[in-house]
Amino acid sequence: MAMLHELKGPFSSFVDVENGTIAREIFSDEAIYQMELERIFARAWNFMCHESQIPKTGDFFQTYIGEESVIATRDKTGALQVLLNSCRHRGNAVCRAESGNTRSFLCTYHGWTYDLEGKLIGVPGFKDFYKECLDKAKWGLVKAAKVASYKGFVFATMDPEAPELEDFLGEVGRMSLDLVAGQGKLVAVEGIQKNIIGTNWKLAVDNLFDWYHGEMSHASAMMAGVMADPNGGPLSKEAREAILAPNNHRIILGDYGHAIGGPRLTPEFWETFEAGQIKQQGVARGQRDESWRKRPEVLADLGEIGRDVRGHPNIFPNMWIANNGQICMRMPKGHDKTELWWFTFVPEEYTEEERKARIAGANHAFGPAGLLEQDDGENWDQSTRGTRGVVARRYPLNFQMNVGQGRVTRPENGPSYIDGPMNETAQMWTWRAWAEWMDAEDWAALQNNHTRAPQDGEFV
Ligand code: FES
Ligand code: FE
């Protein structure tokens, strides 16, 4: 793995920020992928679950950090715990269920038992076979170095040197979560939709910022009414344009690769909204309306810049917050496979009818039964194949849409944003950060050497 790195120079050489090109092998090289598991996933704060999924002592939810299974649980004191799901004896999984409630985790191989804090509390034959010569205190489950939650969203990092969660998120990561938390008191819908696609995880992340593909990739889904007109039938071309707002995009750029990209709500939108002429715009079915954005407590968090975001936030590396109450984790499963986990959130205040509409909207947009995801997955699969060939690899991928032409505005309290037509700025921002994560030996190096949110008047 180190060999390729040494041969090709630093990872920053794979990402040409000035010219807007990216070397194809970062999407298909096994050695690079292994390095990503180490330098990105084992280092970053990773989203685990929502607190509403594990409200009581003993509740647990099994998820992943990189390719490694971890258990998010709540211990007897009510504290959140994240434990590596691997027995310290021979490595077997100690938890096979996706979620549930338990008093302890019993390994099915030889029966070692761990409590909710990961302590080893039971060893069959401890007296007779081990002669009590096993220091149980040393053989508990491996625990996440840090666990914390922001507005109910639980994160964990395996790296003790990682900054605190709020610092890792920074203004853009926090805004990203505020954009869903602000919709009301959230409850996660039971059951996560999981779908494996033959794509490199980064191409799936790249796509969440991509508003360019909609008219082409999703033409048939639109004809089939995936974005149905409230009065029935598919949306008109004009209505689709109003939703995709190709000339009114807002890109917000944060530290460590966090970014938001896509359409924004314009002053004209708010005018017609306030006049009661439209109830909603540009959201999958199941978004009640946009008035939550103007609640004082929400506005205090989002500010006016965040209030008008209708694009897609991504918390680096792989947490996509869609604007219909869905959150997706792009879970790497090898350099050419990604499992997509879709969580659906519904505000408690929704009526039963609204709740059903939101869930139905989520089911038909993304996830295994989602029309949009079917379209996207086909393209990502082919794109991933297209990064493998020895000839194809000689030619980089193109991210030149608006490169270097986005003028940054940064109010005194942030965030740094760019308003303008559709562009590929958020993608390049993320892949520039990717190279910084990959080149940094440790957290201290990453903290010192990463690109900060750009300043007012800069061009990105
Ligand atoms: Fe778990 Fe042996 S592997 S008890
Ligand atoms: Fe798509």
Side-chain angles (χ1 to χ4, degrees), residues 207 210 213-214 217-218 320 366 372-373 375-376 380:
N207 175 267
D210 186 318
H213 73 286
S217 293
H218 301 308
W320 171 21
F366 302 114
L372 299 180
E373 193 148 297
D375 297 336
D376 290 330
W380 306 339

Side-chain angles (χ1 to χ4, degrees), residues 183-363:
Q183 294 177 24
K185 186 166 183 259
L186 295 180
V187 180
V189 175
E190 209 176 319
I192 308 303
Q193 299 208 48
K194 301 175 181 179
N195 187 23
I196 293 182
I197 295 179
T199 179
N200 181 270
W201 68 275
K202 294 190 295 302
L203 284 169
V205 170
D206 186 80
N207 175 267
L208 69 92
F209 290 126
D210 186 318
W211 293 80
Y212 188 35
H213 73 286
E215 288 284 335
M216 177 59 75
S217 293
H218 301 308
S220 58
M222 291 204 200
M223 278 191 263
V226 71
M227 292 161 83
D229 188 288
N231 303 317
L235 284 186
S236 65
K237 191 167 186 305
E238 294 69 32
R240 289 209 307 272
E241 264 180 31
I243 287 167
L244 297 171
N247 291 309
N248 285 305
H249 277 217
R250 172 165 289 173
I251 311 301
I252 305 188
L253 304 171
D255 281 16
Y256 303 125
H258 310 316
I260 302 175
R264 70 187 166 98
L265 298 173
T266 58
E268 298 74 52
F269 163 80
W270 284 116
E271 245 171 62
T272 45
F273 182 79
E274 302 296 347
Q277 289 164 9
I278 41 173
K279 276 190 83 68
Q280 60 173 26
Q281 175 189 319
V283 286
R285 286 175 297 164
Q287 179 86 303
R288 180 181 264 184
D289 64 34
E290 303 291 359
S291 58
W292 59 272
R293 295 168 182 269
K294 292 202 166 180
R295 287 184 204 144
E297 70 280 11
V298 176
L299 207 47
D301 284 333
L302 289 177
E304 289 190 6
I305 308 303
R307 178 197 67 194
D308 294 346
V309 164
R310 200 164 53 72
H312 292 158
N314 186 56
I315 295 178
F316 191 92
N318 61 339
M319 182 188 190
W320 171 21
I321 293 141
N323 52 17
N324 62 345
Q326 286 186 283
I327 285 184
C328 185
M329 293 297 289
R330 273 63 167 124
M331 304 270 196
K333 300 284 175 199
H335 68 268
D336 59 357
K337 240 186 243 120
T338 303
E339 188 163 323
L340 280 75
W341 280 28
W342 285 100
F343 298 68
T344 302
F345 293 93
V346 183
E348 230 174 34
E349 71 209 47
Y350 270 30
T351 63
E352 192 48 31
E353 200 185 341
E354 287 168 335
R355 179 185 154 82
K356 280 186 184 156
R358 172 164 276 202
I359 295 171
N363 288 343

Side-chain angles (χ1 to χ4, degrees), residues 87 89-92 107 109-112:
C87 181
H89 183 228
R90 290 288 191 284
N92 183 33
C107 179
Y109 199 168
H110 311 90
W112 284 23

Side-chain angles (χ1 to χ4, degrees), residues 47-291:
F47 174 61
M48 297 284 98
C49 62
H50 190 256
E51 289 205 45
S52 67
Q53 294 176 278
I54 48 170
K56 300 187 303 290
T57 289
D59 288 346
F60 68 88
F61 179 78
Q62 196 197 135
T63 180
Y64 287 87
I65 289 182
E67 287 196 45
E68 292 175 85
S69 168
V70 294
I71 311 160
T73 185
R74 203 176 276 278
D75 69 21
K76 281 196 174 133
T77 69
L80 297 162
Q81 298 281 350
V82 171
L83 312 167
L84 195 65
N85 185 15
S86 175
C87 181
R88 294 293 302 281
H89 183 228
R90 290 288 191 284
N92 183 33
V94 298
C95 176
R96 304 286 181 96
E98 293 184 347
S99 60
N101 183 277
T102 188
R103 281 200 299 260
S104 58
F105 298 102
L106 167 72
C107 179
T108 54
Y109 199 168
H110 311 90
W112 284 23
T113 307
Y114 304 87
D115 73 7
L116 297 171
E117 289 175 61
K119 285 193 197 121
L120 179 60
I121 52 169
V123 175
F126 182 65
K127 262 196 190 140
D128 297 339
F129 309 143
Y130 284 95
K131 312 286 189 326
E132 298 191 8
C133 291
L134 172 72
D135 187 353
K136 284 197 252 176
K138 285 194 178 148
W139 293 94
L141 294 175
V142 174
K143 293 168 72 153
K146 297 181 185 184
V147 182
S149 77
Y150 178 81
K151 302 219 169 151
F153 294 93
V154 181
F155 289 78
T157 172
M158 287 298 179
D159 193 331
E161 304 302 321
E164 296 311 307
L165 175 62
E166 294 216 5
D167 296 332
F168 166 78
L169 292 172
E171 60 194 7
V172 177
R174 293 195 299 270
M175 175 185 285
S176 300
L177 294 168
D178 292 340
L179 277 162
V180 58
Q183 294 177 24
K185 186 166 183 259
L186 295 180
V187 180
V189 175
E190 209 176 319
I192 308 303
Q193 299 208 48
K194 301 175 181 179
N195 187 23
I196 293 182
I197 295 179
T199 179
N200 181 270
W201 68 275
K202 294 190 295 302
L203 284 169
V205 170
D206 186 80
N207 175 267
L208 69 92
F209 290 126
D210 186 318
W211 293 80
Y212 188 35
H213 73 286
E215 288 284 335
M216 177 59 75
S217 293
H218 301 308
S220 58
M222 291 204 200
M223 278 191 263
V226 71
M227 292 161 83
D229 188 288
N231 303 317
L235 284 186
S236 65
K237 191 167 186 305
E238 294 69 32
R240 289 209 307 272
E241 264 180 31
I243 287 167
L244 297 171
N247 291 309
N248 285 305
H249 277 217
R250 172 165 289 173
I251 311 301
I252 305 188
L253 304 171
D255 281 16
Y256 303 125
H258 310 316
I260 302 175
R264 70 187 166 98
L265 298 173
T266 58
E268 298 74 52
F269 163 80
W270 284 116
E271 245 171 62
T272 45
F273 182 79
E274 302 296 347
Q277 289 164 9
I278 41 173
K279 276 190 83 68
Q280 60 173 26
Q281 175 189 319
V283 286
R285 286 175 297 164
Q287 179 86 303
R288 180 181 264 184
D289 64 34
E290 303 291 359
S291 58

